[in-house]
Amino acid sequence: MPRRMLVFTLVLCMAFVFGGCAKKEEAPKQETPMATSADGPKEGGTIVFGRGGDSVGLDPAYETDGNSFMVCDNVYEQLVAYKDETTDVEPGLAKSWVIAEDGKTYTFQLREGVKFHDGTPFNANAVVFSIGRMMKDRNLKFFGDGFDVPPQERPPEYWVSMEMDDTVDSIEATGEYTVVFNLKRVEAPFIANVGMDFASIISPTAFLKDPKAYVRNPVGTGPFKFVKWVADDSITLEKFADYWDKSNGGPYLDKVVFRAIPENSVRFLELKVGNIDICQFPNPADIDMARKDENIKLVEQPGMNVGYLGFNHTKALWQNIHLRRAVAHAINRQAIVDNIYQGMGQLAKNGIPPTMWGYNDDVPGYAYDVELAKKELAEAGYPEGKGLPEIKLWSMPVPRPYNPEGLKVGIAMIGDLAKIGIMANVTSYDWGTYLKRQREQPEDMDLFQLGWTGDNGDPDNFLAVLFDGLASPAIRTQYKSERYHELMLMGKTTIDQAKRAQIYKEAQQVMFDDVAVLTVAHSTVIWPMRNNVMNFKLHPTASVRMKNVWKN
Amino acid sequence: MLGFIIRRSLTIIPTLLGVSIVVFLLLSITPGDPAELLLGERATVESLEAMREYLGLNEPLHVQYGLFLKRLIKFDLGETIWTRQKVIVEIKERFPATIELSLAALFLACLFGVTLGIVSASRQYSIFDYLSMVGSLIGVSMPVFWLGLMLMLVFSLHLGWFPVSGRIGVNTELEVITNFYVLDAIITRNWKAFWDVLQHLALPAVALSTIPMAIIARMTRSSMLEVLRQDYIKTARAKGLSETKVVLKHALRNSLIPVITVIGLQFGILLGGAILTEHVFSWPGVGKWIYEGVVKRDYMVIQGGTMLVATVFVVVNTLVDILYAVINPRISVK
């Protein structure tokens, strides 16, 4: 009797729940293109942005995570800005800049009449303070009185990892609105770098009031000012009435609220109910549901990222190019993109995404060709895999933008390898261990999955930091090629972008010929949002910009 | 009695010391480098080294533990690795939310658990008895995660009665004084916010209450059944008292003694159960905070959070023991 009752109750529950779901399914709807309202932008209203986690902090020099940067993107500005949908650089807080002949001196002319949210006027000293506080050797010169720059709380991560201490020699305010950066070396990506979040300009007076508390009380010049932070729940921003840039008409919104909703499915439910307006990182399955919901539209943008399968080049086995080639041709990457990325991505043939300047479309990419793979394997000295030890393929334990499900990708890969006679198994560790051990290039790692999301749209930010093993023992791929290294150095020291594009194109060809890594995919970012959200665009750097968004 | 209370209270200290050692050792043998996690794929060797130095991870283990203990004595739990805030401040910000949720869940669990238990016991082997016991079996075995999502689907998406997640609506203004939102709404006489907060509280409290409710119901039922067999109940019945009076007046008081212990235990368990419930319902309490601390391998959060939960657990248990001894003086003699 009790058991029958249990079954009955369960069936009843199921019928109720799923019956309810089925009711809602309607005919699939066409994807709405970025609709622009016939009446034009509207002033006022609140946008609630649903995301997976809370911000860590709001001091841009010290943050490393997307949830912090997306708030910073609306509070702060930098000397230069990336355009709305690309990483092309345009003037930001600096209205112009001049690069000296030798490529080592940058003189920025700043905008006048710009104010911070706390009323502090924006000027050259604010720039010297904001950027200078990250320097190890504080080689700074203020104009007039200036400020005392307090000691560092902890290493400013981006400043360190972008090698800015090796790049910037001194920063000087030579006038109320003129700042000069003297570099130690020619660094072509420098302008792109100062558009990054870490180089945001902060209000020195607000910071000095209480340096420890600043991380929770940010003050910038951006279109929205910080109002309130309820830990683990929400961050509220408010329109900054004195915002300087009215050229596009924005900011239109009165308020922007960033809500932390960790569960993907719950976040999507909140969107369906209408409690949030934009839903970040939905489950792939929810995308289909979003397409069927007439109150919801989708916005998408190819991500500025690459997911790849690396070879352990430090192991003698993998110095055999035929073996690498065999692997490259054996794996059906298109199937991985179709089935595991669920179409939210495109097959990658180069180390940089196709939307980036310098992309070499002439590189053919490795075809999925089992016969060719077998031939290469035989040529490598292991016909049908005979004599080859068991291969250990490391799979990522966490989803990243460039690889939604590492383990599934790994299993698909070893299945493909088995077809040509390469016996492999999948290994995984927790993320912290994975990253740590991967760096050591241990014997028990043959192949590994990793990837990268770009910061500033410069090919150097992909090709050099990921693949130039001769530059540093810390490069995770440890691909070593004299020619490639030479090209990377040339790329860094050439200022002319057209020439740099040529250099990077050649580098991609070199990588391809050497089978440096097996690039798998560039993922596509797709976010659902309510129909009445207008003019919201995804940025390749994943920054979230509310300045020109309005609500109908 | 006083001696018992003092002795019983002093056992808290070695217990918590033991907890601190276990937590510390467990963390140190768990793989995963917080610096790597913090900086991700991009970390360079230099920035990793700088970060480890900053976090004090380069110190030998016993030095790290010593520092931890020294701070603990001063009620300083250090700074979190991720947000760089004082752990104690972060707990203060979130603890009221968890207490509020746990109390609401405990209230529901006691109300319905005890009622169900009484009714089941007084009508043993009736259809109601079967139904409620099957129900409590489901309650014990239902994953909070699944239950939470189902509640949302039914009561938020389809019926629209309750909000999906969070603690208060985005557009509801509430002046925060104690950080217990229900209390704050009452103090400021903000009835709109009061209603909004209660609505937000409903679903997570229900989800969190199912397991303790089921346990309390079963405990009440069996304890009640035992008491109902006693001679004095027979006497009461023989005197011609109504069944309701027998059950509620004579039997209930005595059957509640073991139930109180269970309720005390459940409160501690509720705090642990809140970890999943808070995660599902985006409830900004310590549970969600600890959950994320574990995912991010934030040592300071895990240490601080575990110490907090352990302290509450141990203190509540001590109080229950003392209360027990007060109700039933024979206990303290042992």
Side-chain angles (χ1 to χ4, degrees):
Chain A
M1 166 81 169
R3 173 174 294 184
R4 215 187 301 158
M5 203 65 89
L6 180 95
V7 173
F8 175 72
T9 321
L10 274 179
V11 169
L12 202 73
C13 287
M14 295 280 183
F16 187 34
V17 168
F18 293 109
C21 288
K23 188 183 66 195
K24 288 247 159 167
E25 282 188 22
E26 280 150 24
K29 170 177 63 91
Q30 287 289 310
E31 233 152 276
T32 350
M34 261 308 170
T36 16
S37 159
D39 326 331
K42 275 199 185 128
E43 292 274 342
T46 301
I47 284 241
V48 185
F49 184 94
R51 56 199 186 136
D54 200 4
S55 298
V56 171
L58 297 175
D59 182 344
Y62 292 95
E63 310 315 335
T64 54
D65 68 307
N67 285 330
S68 300
F69 286 146
M70 71 169 71
V71 178
C72 291
D73 286 329
N74 295 288
V75 172
Y76 297 106
E77 291 169 305
Q78 300 78 24
L79 290 177
V80 303
Y82 303 128
K83 286 193 175 144
D84 247 0
E85 280 174 287
T86 66
T87 49
D88 293 344
V89 167
E90 62 182 9
L93 286 176
K95 55 185 180 191
S96 64
W97 55 91
V98 179
I99 307 170
E101 260 310 287
D102 64 356
K104 286 189 187 168
T105 309
Y106 287 67
T107 307
F108 291 91
Q109 209 54 47
L110 308 181
R111 267 174 223 286
E112 296 174 25
V114 176
K115 270 196 169 70
F116 287 102
H117 303 152
D118 65 346
T120 305
F122 161 78
N123 55 25
N125 281 352
V127 175
V128 177
F129 182 87
S130 300
I131 311 284
R133 73 195 171 115
M134 294 184 278
M135 288 174 89
K136 206 194 255 166
D137 307 313
R138 302 278 173 76
N139 204 348
L140 309 173
K141 215 167 103 194
F142 288 98
F143 180 73
D145 284 342
F147 305 98
D148 282 328
V149 187
Q152 274 171 19
E153 182 199 341
R154 73 198 257 176
E157 163 52 25
Y158 263 94
W159 179 268
V160 177
S161 63
M162 298 300 289
E163 298 180 2
M164 292 300 268
D165 272 324
D166 301 330
T167 308
V168 179
D169 182 46
S170 69
I171 310 175
E172 291 174 35
T174 56
E176 174 89 44
Y177 296 104
T178 313
V179 180
V180 179
F181 283 71
N182 293 304
L183 306 192
K184 291 176 181 169
R185 62 179 190 208
V186 177
E187 178 81 1
F190 181 72
I191 280 292
N193 290 352
V194 292
M196 284 169 64
D197 280 281
F198 78 90
S200 295
I201 308 303
I202 67 167
S203 161
T205 48
F207 185 85
L208 289 170
K209 213 183 278 167
D210 187 351
K212 267 256 177 236
Y214 182 80
V215 63
R216 311 279 283 188
N217 299 288
V219 179
T221 58
F224 293 93
K225 62 180 180 190
F226 171 83
V227 181
K228 187 174 77 172
W229 188 342
V230 180
D232 271 355
D233 183 63
S234 64
I235 290 179
T236 306
L237 307 181
E238 192 180 272
K239 184 203 279 195
F240 177 42
D242 285 341
Y243 184 62
W244 61 272
D245 183 11
K246 296 273 162 71
S247 56
N248 293 311
Y252 302 110
L253 298 162
D254 286 339
K255 257 163 78 176
V256 179
V257 180
F258 292 90
R259 265 192 70 190
I261 307 166
E263 263 305 300
N264 292 353
S265 33
V266 174
R267 198 161 56 245
F268 184 68
L269 219 55
E270 287 279 35
L271 181 77
K272 270 184 91 80
V273 174
N275 288 341
I276 63 172
D277 298 299
I278 303 172
C279 171
Q280 191 198 17
F281 301 136
N283 286 325
D286 292 338
I287 298 285
D288 283 337
M289 280 177 72
R291 287 208 170 96
K292 289 174 191 150
D293 191 322
E294 58 191 12
N295 297 315
I296 292 174
K297 60 184 175 182
L298 296 165
V299 56
E300 60 181 278
Q301 156 93 31
M304 190 166 61
N305 59 42
V306 61
Y308 63 84
L309 180 73
F311 303 100
N312 188 347
H313 288 284
T314 59
K315 245 175 120 165
L317 182 66
W318 295 102
Q319 278 159 15
N320 186 334
I321 189 169
H322 293 292
L323 185 57
R324 297 204 297 272
R325 218 171 264 154
V327 170
H329 287 295
I331 292 175
N332 188 351
R333 293 172 296 152
Q334 189 61 53
I336 290 174
V337 173
D338 291 344
N339 298 314
I340 302 173
Y341 284 71
Q342 303 210 15
M344 287 164 70
Q346 67 180 114
L347 188 65
K349 59 180 185 179
N350 282 313
I352 57 173
T355 46
M356 189 176 281
W357 61 268
Y359 184 78
N360 189 346
D361 210 14
D362 297 333
V363 168
Y366 311 106
Y368 170 56
D369 186 338
V370 177
E371 288 316 308
L372 185 58
K374 282 179 179 165
K375 223 177 91 198
E376 289 288 346
L377 189 60
E379 220 163 307
Y382 307 101
E384 288 164 35
K386 280 190 196 93
L388 195 65
E390 195 176 56
I391 302 303
K392 291 197 174 50
L393 189 155
W394 284 26
S395 273
M396 294 174 15
V398 289
R400 303 295 282 176
Y402 50 76
N403 186 345
E405 276 190 277
L407 219 51
K408 277 195 190 165
V409 172
I411 288 165
M413 285 177 167
I414 62 170
D416 284 340
L417 291 178
K419 285 180 201 152
I420 63 164
I422 298 181
M423 289 304 132
N425 61 33
V426 171
T427 311
S428 195
Y429 298 92
D430 84 276
W431 189 223
T433 313
Y434 188 93
L435 289 171
K436 186 170 183 221
R437 291 211 60 211
Q438 191 281 330
R439 185 185 298 285
E440 294 154 5
Q441 308 274 330
E443 270 292 305
D444 64 358
M445 175 184 85
D446 290 291
L447 305 167
F448 62 91
Q449 299 168 356
L450 262 180
W452 184 258
T453 302
D455 299 305
N456 57 13
D458 197 291
D460 174 81
N461 186 260
F462 274 79
L463 296 175
V465 290
L466 284 185
F467 305 116
D468 185 9
L470 283 176
S472 153
I475 302 284
R476 290 190 178 271
T477 53
Q478 279 307 299
Y479 160 61
K480 286 178 180 140
S481 151
E482 290 292 347
R483 178 66 190 149
Y484 190 82
H485 182 55
E486 214 173 280
L487 287 166
M488 288 304 113
L489 289 182
M490 272 163 67
K492 270 185 209 294
T493 49
T494 308
I495 299 286
D496 180 353
Q497 186 170 322
K499 280 187 199 147
R500 290 185 71 206
Q502 273 317 309
I503 295 169
Y504 290 125
K505 279 186 181 170
E506 190 189 335
Q508 289 159 69
Q509 186 66 44
V510 173
M511 259 184 82
F512 172 78
D513 293 340
D514 277 353
V515 203
V517 294
L518 181 62
T519 51
V520 177
H522 310 291
S523 77
T524 309
V525 183
I526 305 182
W527 292 353
M529 57 187 175
R530 303 291 294 183
N531 266 341
N532 60 349
V533 176
M534 295 295 161
N535 206 27
F536 178 77
K537 294 166 183 166
L538 285 173
H539 198 264
T541 58
S543 83
V544 171
R545 305 170 169 201
M546 295 295 183
K547 188 181 135 199
N548 296 320
V549 176
W550 74 89
K551 221 173 156 183
N552 267 341
Chain B
M1 178 59 88
L2 191 65
F4 170 75
I5 293 175
I6 292 172
R7 256 180 294 137
R8 185 65 190 77
S9 305
L10 282 179
T11 55
I12 293 179
I13 295 168
T15 313
L16 288 184
L17 201 66
V19 170
S20 79
I21 294 173
V22 170
V23 170
F24 197 84
L25 284 183
L26 275 181
L27 273 181
S28 63
I29 57 170
T30 338
D33 182 347
E36 290 269 7
L37 273 173
L38 193 55
L39 304 180
E41 303 90 316
R42 68 179 55 263
T44 61
V45 176
E46 300 83 48
S47 53
L48 274 176
E49 199 38 50
M51 191 56 80
R52 283 208 193 94
E53 191 62 40
Y54 169 78
L55 296 174
L57 295 173
N58 288 337
E59 301 289 338
L61 214 56
H62 62 274
V63 176
Q64 288 186 43
Y65 180 70
L67 285 173
F68 171 59
L69 212 56
K70 214 162 113 189
R71 285 197 313 260
L72 207 57
I73 291 164
K74 290 187 273 180
F75 292 102
D76 174 8
L77 293 166
E79 280 176 17
T80 78
I81 292 179
W82 285 74
T83 59
R84 299 136 17 221
Q85 299 288 303
K86 288 244 178 255
V87 170
I88 215 94
V89 172
E90 297 226 323
I91 289 176
K92 261 191 215 151
E93 275 178 328
R94 293 164 176 84
F95 202 42
T98 300
I99 295 284
E100 198 167 74
L101 176 61
S102 301
L103 284 179
L106 194 67
F107 173 74
L108 290 179
C110 290
L111 186 69
F112 291 104
V114 171
T115 313
L116 275 180
I118 295 171
V119 179
S120 296
S122 59
R123 297 184 192 167
Q124 200 184 2
Y125 305 131
S126 70
I127 178 85
F128 181 86
D129 185 24
Y130 278 123
L131 264 181
S132 63
M133 283 309 107
V134 168
S136 63
L137 191 71
I138 297 176
V140 177
S141 41
M142 187 119 63
V144 172
F145 222 77
W146 185 81
L147 177 65
L149 283 173
M150 288 302 136
L151 287 175
M152 282 178 204
L153 273 180
V154 175
F155 294 102
S156 305
L157 185 65
H158 291 289
L159 297 174
W161 293 351
F162 296 103
V164 182
S165 69
R167 205 177 162 201
I168 191 169
V170 166
N171 291 317
T172 309
E173 296 294 334
L174 174 66
E175 191 191 341
V176 176
I177 301 165
T178 59
N179 217 348
F180 291 94
Y181 282 6
V182 178
L183 211 59
D184 288 344
I186 295 174
I187 295 172
T188 56
R189 287 161 199 259
N190 185 346
W191 304 119
K192 184 177 164 270
F194 180 71
W195 181 236
D196 188 55
V197 169
L198 281 191
Q199 278 187 316
H200 276 88
L201 195 54
L203 294 188
V206 168
L208 186 57
S209 70
T210 50
I211 293 176
M213 187 192 299
I215 293 173
I216 291 172
R218 294 180 84 87
M219 190 69 203
T220 312
R221 178 179 178 270
S222 63
S223 160
M224 195 80 178
L225 282 175
E226 194 157 313
V227 172
L228 283 175
R229 274 186 225 114
Q230 304 280 321
D231 285 345
Y232 73 93
I233 297 292
K234 283 181 193 155
T235 315
R237 280 195 181 127
K239 278 196 300 185
L241 286 180
S242 74
E243 189 60 23
T244 324
K245 230 173 187 173
V246 171
V247 170
L248 291 185
K249 246 191 132 175
H250 290 76
L252 183 60
R253 191 180 296 172
N254 281 317
S255 12
L256 278 188
I257 293 179
V259 176
I260 289 174
T261 319
V262 172
I263 292 174
L265 274 176
Q266 287 307 314
F267 187 70
I269 293 171
L270 273 178
L271 288 180
I275 289 184
L276 277 184
T277 313
E278 288 185 358
H279 178 78
V280 177
F281 285 95
S282 317
W283 190 264
V286 276
K288 187 179 167 202
W289 178 71
I290 292 173
Y291 180 96
E292 273 156 29
V294 171
V295 173
K296 293 170 179 166
R297 201 67 89 245
D298 194 324
Y299 287 6
M300 305 315 266
V301 169
I302 303 175
Q303 279 170 2
T306 320
M307 289 314 293
L308 174 80
V309 174
T311 311
V312 173
F313 196 85
V314 172
V315 167
V316 170
N317 269 320
T318 311
L319 285 179
V320 169
D321 276 3
I322 293 171
L323 194 70
Y324 211 84
V326 172
I327 297 174
N328 191 350
R330 273 172 301 171
I331 305 286
S332 56
V333 178
K334 280 190 219 167

